[in-house]
């Protein structure tokens, strides 16, 4: 059904974008920076990115700075409507997972010796041509760098620098590009503006005087790290948003909603109970549907698609007076629950999906094999009904804040469902959650778990981080962040068509994706990752060669949250990396069970994914293993033990974990 809906809406979106595109060609034409843009990068405004040139001092924020995009700074789409920077300017810094973007005409990364995805360790070499420095600690930061493989104009090809683990919340980083080479091995000289700024002090009246003063602390930090100005092509600095800036919206909504709730259960109504015979459903005995009443924090009553958070004069989210969100839910109760009370758990559905995915075969198998009752609600903001808004946002970024902000209401809906499931006066007071003798079908003694796949894994880390009730979560075929994932996912292909019409220039597209990530952070794991495992445990299940959620993004997440890698991982020679899973600490199979957060890689024999920022599309990449881990009985056993005991067990013996390919 989603695919049919997507095809219809995509056709409409493409037609609309095609009509709009000719109306404003000047908005998309490649040209020099305008007023307010960084004079160090005349090819395109907002470059290099992220960049403290686009912030201002603000003593009221945790970083002492605030993003300050001007009214004409953000690139308009082909429709030509200016992009309102308000949602971006709420931040006191940039995304902790931000890809750094620079434009270096003629650059040859291989000749330069930049660290590729297969050799992240090279990024920390003393002579590395790209240097990232945490200016607070002096620490060199790991990354991989690549030329944008999607660029159609070599003269407009972006250099993309991806942090190998997220930058620290609230810290400032200095960046240097040095000793860069072209395809013939010739050194690329610094552009004239940077050469002037990095040189002798400029007089107060010079056009670059302000830029030189602003950049001076970054150049000093680089100098202390042994990076001088000689041979440097470009340098700049940026501030990462603080934890409060990144998580404040969701935590404000959560805290207010649970304060209102007090020690009560959320109000609920059971709307349907279906009992199945063993012949109808051998694994599931009962399906229960209903709705939970949740305070509404979106700006339109009922919070329909396209809503954003209702905010007070202080800019913080506030409940819309009198507004409630009715979160529809569905629960699958296994037959085993009628013998022994089952473990309650939330299930997180996939990309732009629905709560009905809790009825998928793999979820029913997990429920039946390990006595779980799984319940799900639509992850509004990224649910099927939000597809028109997501497509529209690619044509007009003014619509984009609705995606993460409605997702935050969706997370609150799930948090209230979790509370209703485990509260003594909650759902278990209804006959739907008891057997014919009135005995409870849920075991309320050990809290509630979370299991999500794909989008349910990508957003699920934020849900786990925010939950007062969930202590452990399984993030299946997961990764972060969308700004890194989209270029590398086959799922993005239909959306890419709209983006191509809205932003034909590929260099500008990369900027737009990172701008999206700045506000998307608040509604996905990326913003919460640096502190996700402070109080919670997560188990990541990864499909090697995943066509939909790139392994590179999962590795960044594992490094950031401190997840231990379960070994052995892959068969010898399977990985193209110089040091496979560089920077991820391991747990040998003989030292299991392990108590903590971990990552298990499941190999279905799929070819290694591309080493560029492109999706594994086409026959050469074989079977998509995206669904294989969840369909593996061994993987389900590992998940169940983790959710119920907090222990990561050895389910693969002394060999790498494998999963049979599923159709």
């Amino acid at each position: 059904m989603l695919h049919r809906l997507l095809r219809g809406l995509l056709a409409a979106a493409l037609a609309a974008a095609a009509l709009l595109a000719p109306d404003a060609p000047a908005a998309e034409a490649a040209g020099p920076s305008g007023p307010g843009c960084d004079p160090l990068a005349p090819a395109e405004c907002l470059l290099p990115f992220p960049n403290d040139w686009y912030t201002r001092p603000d003593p009221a924020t945790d970083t002492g700075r605030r993003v300050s995009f001007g009214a004409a700074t953000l690139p308009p789409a082909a429709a030509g409507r200016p992009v309102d920077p308000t949602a971006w300017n709420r931040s006191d810094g940039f995304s902790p997972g931000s890809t750094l973007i620079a434009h270096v005409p003629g650059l040859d990364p291989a000749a330069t010796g930049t660290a590729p995805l297969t050799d992240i360790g090279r990024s920390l070499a003393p002579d590395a041509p790209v240097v990232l420095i945490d200016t607070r600690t002096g620490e060199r930061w790991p990354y991989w760098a690549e030329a944008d493989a999607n660029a159609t104009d070599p003269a407009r090809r972006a250099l993309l620098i991806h942090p190998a683990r997220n930058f620290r919340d609230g810290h400032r980083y200095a960046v240097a590009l040095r000793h860069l080479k072209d395809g013939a091995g010739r050194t690329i000289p610094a552009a004239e503006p940077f050469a002037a700024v990095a040189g002798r002090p400029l007089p107060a009246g010079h056009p670059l005087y302000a830029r030189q003063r602003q950049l001076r602390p970054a150049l000093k930090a680089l100098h202390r790290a042994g990076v001088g100005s000689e041979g440097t092509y470009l340098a700049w600095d940026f501030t990462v948003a603080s934890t409060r800036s990144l998580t404040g919206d969701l935590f404000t909504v959560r805290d207010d909603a649970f304060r209102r709730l007090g020690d009560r259960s959320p109000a609920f109504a059971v709307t349907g109970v279906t009992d199945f015979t063993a012949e109808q459903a051998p694994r599931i005995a009962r399906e229960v549907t209903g709705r939970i009443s949740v305070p509404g924090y979106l700006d339109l009553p009922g919070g329909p698609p396209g809503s954003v958070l209702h905010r007070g004069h202080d800019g913080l989210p506030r409940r819309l007076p009198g507004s409630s969100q009715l979160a529809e839910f569905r629960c699958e109760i296994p037959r085993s629950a009628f013998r022994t009370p089952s473990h309650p758990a939330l299930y997180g559905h996939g990309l732009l999906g629905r709560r009905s995915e809790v009825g998928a075969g793999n979820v029913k198998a997990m429920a039946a094999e390990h006595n779980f009752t799984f319940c799900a609600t639509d992850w509004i903001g990224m649910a099927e009904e939000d597809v028109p808004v997501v497509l529209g946002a690619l044509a007009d970024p003014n619509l984009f804040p609705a995606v993460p902000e409605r997702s935050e209401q969706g997370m609150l809906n799930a948090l209230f469902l979790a509370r209703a499931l485990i509260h003594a006066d909650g759902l278990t007071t209804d006959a739907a959650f008891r057997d014919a003798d009135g005995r409870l079908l849920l075991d309320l003694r050990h809290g509630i778990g979370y299991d999500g796949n794909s989008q349910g894994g990508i957003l699920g880390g934020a849900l786990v981080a925010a939950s007062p009730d969930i202590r452990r979560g399984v993030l299946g075929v997961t990764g972060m962040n969308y700004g890194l994932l989209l270029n590398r996912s086959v799922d993005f292909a239909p959306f890419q068509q709209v983006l191509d019409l809205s932003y034909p220039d590929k260099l500008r597209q990369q900027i737009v994706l990172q701008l999206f990530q700045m506000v998307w952070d608040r509604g996905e794991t990326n913003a919460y990752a640096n502190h996700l495992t402070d109080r919670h445990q997560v188990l990541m299940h990864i499909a090697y060669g995943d066509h939909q959620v790139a392994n590179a993004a999962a590795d960044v997440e594992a490094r950031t949250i401190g997840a231990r890698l379960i070994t052995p991982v892959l068969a010898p020679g399977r990985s193209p990396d110089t040091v496979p899973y560089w920077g991820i600490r391991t747990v040998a199979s003989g030292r299991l069970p392990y108590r903590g957060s971990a990552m298990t890689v499941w190999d279905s024999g799929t070819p290694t994914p591309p080493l560029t920022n492109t999706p594994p599309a086409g026959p050469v990449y074989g079977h998509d293993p995206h669904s294989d881990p969840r369909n593996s009985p061994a993987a389900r056993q590992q998940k169940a033990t983790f959710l119920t005991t907090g222990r990561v067990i050895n389910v693969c013996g002394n060999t790498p974990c494998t999963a049979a390919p599923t159709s």
Side-chain angles (χ1 to χ4, degrees), residues 151-428:
T152 53
D153 179 359
R156 299 278 294 171
R157 189 183 305 276
L159 171 65
L160 306 175
I161 305 163
H162 307 284
R165 69 174 183 269
N166 272 13
F167 299 114
R168 290 195 176 98
D169 299 354
H171 285 221
R172 186 168 64 91
Y173 291 81
V175 189
L177 311 182
R178 57 181 182 169
H179 310 306
L180 306 184
K181 308 289 185 181
D182 63 17
R186 297 182 295 256
T187 298
I188 301 174
E192 187 173 320
F194 177 74
V197 166
R200 299 170 65 86
L202 299 171
H206 194 282
L208 293 173
Y209 174 75
R211 190 64 180 103
Q212 187 179 62
R213 282 178 56 85
Q214 193 273 341
L215 192 60
R216 189 175 298 157
L219 294 177
K220 288 182 177 178
L222 289 165
H223 183 75
R224 288 194 297 270
V227 181
S229 297
E230 185 178 353
T232 299
Y233 174 85
L234 180 64
W236 75 96
D237 63 343
F238 63 93
T239 298
V240 178
S242 68
T243 302
R244 181 166 62 168
S245 178
L246 292 163
T247 65
D249 279 359
L250 178 57
F251 287 1
T252 296
V253 164
R254 175 203 63 187
D255 292 347
D256 183 69
F258 278 91
R259 178 187 59 78
R260 294 172 183 272
L261 185 63
D263 60 2
R264 295 172 287 114
S265 167
F268 65 90
V270 171
T271 58
V273 178
T274 305
D275 288 318
F276 303 105
T277 66
E279 290 74 22
Q280 290 173 318
R283 297 173 295 194
I284 300 299
R286 179 176 293 171
E287 179 182 291
V288 181
T289 59
R291 63 178 65 97
I292 302 290
S293 180
V294 187
Y297 292 84
L298 297 171
D299 65 343
L300 298 175
S307 304
V308 294
L309 289 171
H310 174 67
R311 296 181 184 272
H313 294 302
D314 57 2
L316 294 175
R318 294 286 182 265
R319 184 184 182 188
L320 184 67
S323 178
S324 292
Q325 185 85 34
L326 293 179
E328 303 284 342
F329 69 84
R330 173 174 162 179
C331 297
E332 302 287 327
I333 303 177
R335 297 198 173 279
S336 55
F338 286 79
R339 298 186 296 272
T340 304
S342 60
H343 311 289
L346 295 188
Y347 182 75
H349 64 67
L351 180 64
L352 298 169
R354 304 175 62 186
R355 62 189 179 279
S356 59
E357 290 178 27
V358 74
N362 67 89
V363 185
K364 290 180 177 179
M366 175 85 169
E369 293 163 5
H370 303 289
N371 198 25
F372 278 87
T373 288
F374 284 105
C375 296
T377 185
D378 289 352
W379 206 311
I380 65 168
M382 288 292 286
E384 184 177 300
E385 64 182 4
D386 296 287
V387 172
V389 175
V390 174
L391 285 169
L394 295 173
D396 181 0
N398 286 290
L399 304 176
F400 187 77
V403 176
E405 294 192 10
R406 193 165 185 261
S407 295
E408 292 173 64
Q409 176 73 54
M411 291 181 193
L412 180 63
N413 296 352
L415 296 180
F416 264 50
L417 174 58
R419 176 60 60 88
L421 276 165
I422 63 171
H423 196 285
D425 297 324
L427 287 167
T428 55

Side-chain angles (χ1 to χ4, degrees), residues 554-580:
D555 295 349
V556 173
E557 181 171 355
R559 294 186 195 100
T560 302
I561 69 174
R564 295 288 189 95
L565 183 66
I566 304 304
T567 60
V569 191
L570 299 172
R574 189 81 167 97
S575 171
D577 296 351
T578 302
V579 178

Side-chain angles (χ1 to χ4, degrees), residues 23-24 93 108 229 239 294 397 444 486 528:
D23 293 339
D108 186 317
S229 297
T239 298
V294 187
L444 305 183
L486 294 183
Y528 306 83

